[in-house]
Amino acid sequence: MNPFVFVLFGATGDLAKNKLFPALFSLFKQGLLGEKFYLVGFSRREIDDTIFRQMVRDFLKLTDENPLWQGFSKNIYYQNGLFDEEKGYLSLIERLNGFDKEIGACISRVFYLATPPQNYHSILDRLHATKLSEGCGQGSSKWTKIAIEKPFGKDLETAKALDMKLSQIFEERQIFRVDHYLSKETVQNMIAFRFANGIFEPVWNNKFIDHVQVTFAEKKGIEKRGKFFDGVGMLRDVAQNHLLQLVATVTMEQPRSFAKEDVRNARVAAIQAIACIESENVAENVVSGQYEGYLSEKDVDSSSVTETFVAMKFGVNTPRFQGVPFYVRAGKNMPANVVEISIVFIQTCHILFKEMGCPEIGNVLTIRIQPDEGIRLRVIAKHPGAKLALDTVDMKFSYHEEFGTHGADAYEKVLMDIFSGDQMLFNRSDELESSWEFITKILDGWKTGKTKPVQYSSGTWGPYDAEKLIERDNRKWL
Ligand code: BG6
């Protein structure tokens, strides 16, 4: 890899601590960052390189004696600055020029925005005004990249405005709109699983599929992320991006090829086909919840109506999925950590077996995104014994058992793809617009209906209304 500079805005934040620095360090350990690189943290805190290095060392739970850390830490720098004041950016330019001088060439630059989203406009404006966005001159802007974390906007209008700003400063090939779920091994595997195994294609449609469930559950609450989360909520934080992308992996048609735009085209078409829940139908099809105790979390408004749980039912307008309901739920403070997709097939129960009773639910294909990454197919089998009785059993594939790994970390993939300029697993504008259109209708419905989230106890699967949402269709959450 050629030398590069990685400027991280929001370098002392949660994402930097939990995901980005661990991923960078892991890439370094694997020797994937090349000979020379510069990691520059940019943040409000008034600290220097030394203190920042100590902070990163603690993020990574390492000691100064660790030889790998000694090698890695030499590449870490810090630039203090307010996001909306030019001063810090001007000092940053001097730093970056110094690196160029050291190498004797214009080094490619990556600007990574991992701050709370309300800072994005200010940062982009300053990058533009100070010409940082143009690289170090001599046509080097073509090597400059901008990566921007989700949530990308607050609704359709603000997402469009943000995109407009980005496109005024950068060319599309320089822009990386991050959704790290796209880079998860298990999510990428969906394409291989669906299209490389001919046996699933004939049954992957409304003649065989009864319904689809997606569950995104986290045992943790919002932890110390009140500043980020309050006012954002589950719908914007994970449904607009991660959940709709999971749905798209189930519903998308085979891409024409694995060329970047072909894959993105297939994904966009899948997102566009998700049937919007019109505002007047939101109350019936969307449930929002808030865990008890949320209002006393740090940095949360004491009268906040931000949802920490959401469940919804919607359809998908493609010939393959017409009439198949999708039930999707996501929550914090749930009883388990689990992200999975279940394809529940129509239970036919052959007439031969009717007398002895058939299991209520028959074949279910479950794709476990995390943890215990893998795939399970529930099938009906004869229960051992003299009597002919039926039971359900699972055929399982576990990544860990099979490959000795849980798959590469998503953020390592995100970063490597940015460094190598591969945009396939990043959102395109039209993709974002369609997902925001869907989410904004729900937000509008909540606004018109003055909807407040229903309280639920921590360690439960959200409000009872979420059970009713599926049970009224004579189905159950798995
Ligand atoms: C982030 C959300 O995008 O995804 C968090 O902001 C959420 O609220 C996280 O916890 C989950 O990611 P992962 O990779 O840990 O499942």
Side-chain angles (χ1 to χ4, degrees), residues 97 109 132 157 160 174 209 328 345 364 403:
N97 288 344
R109 297 172 178 180
L132 267 162
E157 205 183 315
K160 277 184 174 172
Q174 297 176 280
I209 296 176
V328 171
F345 290 91
V364 181
F403 299 123

Side-chain angles (χ1 to χ4, degrees), residues 1 11 35 124 137 172 217-218 228 233 243 295 305 323 338 346 351 364 367 380 469:
M1 174 127 58
E35 293 285 303
L124 290 172
E172 181 57 29
E218 293 181 311
F228 162 82
L243 291 188
L295 297 179
V305 291
V338 54
I346 295 169
I351 191 139
V364 181
I367 296 107
I380 297 175
L469 178 79

Side-chain angles (χ1 to χ4, degrees), residues 19 150 180-181 184 218 225 237 242 332 370:
K19 305 273 189 184
K150 45 144 288 283
H180 75 284
Y181 263 64
K184 288 201 185 252
E218 293 181 311
R225 297 170 77 217
D237 185 31
H242 309 334
K332 302 251 180 216
Q370 65 192 41

Side-chain angles (χ1 to χ4, degrees), residues 141-155:
S141 69
K142 56 177 177 294
W143 309 117
T144 304
K145 293 170 194 139
I146 178 92
I148 189 155
E149 268 291 337
K150 45 144 288 283
F152 192 94
K154 281 202 99 177
D155 52 22

Side-chain angles (χ1 to χ4, degrees), residues 148-196:
I148 189 155
E149 268 291 337
K150 45 144 288 283
F152 192 94
K154 281 202 99 177
D155 52 22
L156 181 58
E157 205 183 315
T158 51
K160 277 184 174 172
L162 181 57
D163 218 30
M164 172 78 86
K165 170 145 293 172
L166 272 172
S167 65
Q168 283 161 356
I169 309 174
F170 297 98
E171 284 178 36
E172 181 57 29
R173 59 178 180 76
Q174 297 176 280
I175 306 173
F176 293 77
R177 303 175 191 84
V178 179
D179 176 345
H180 75 284
Y181 263 64
L182 285 173
S183 301
K184 288 201 185 252
E185 191 74 59
T186 35
V187 175
Q188 289 177 67
N189 183 47
M190 280 295 279
I191 291 194
F193 180 75
R194 281 190 53 200
F195 302 120

Side-chain angles (χ1 to χ4, degrees), residues 408-428:
D409 174 73
Y411 269 95
E412 290 179 29
K413 175 89 181 128
V414 166
L415 291 168
M416 284 311 285
D417 283 350
I418 296 173
F419 296 148
S420 67
D422 184 349
Q423 293 172 306
M424 190 199 295
L425 300 176
F426 294 82
N427 279 302
R428 215 167 61 184

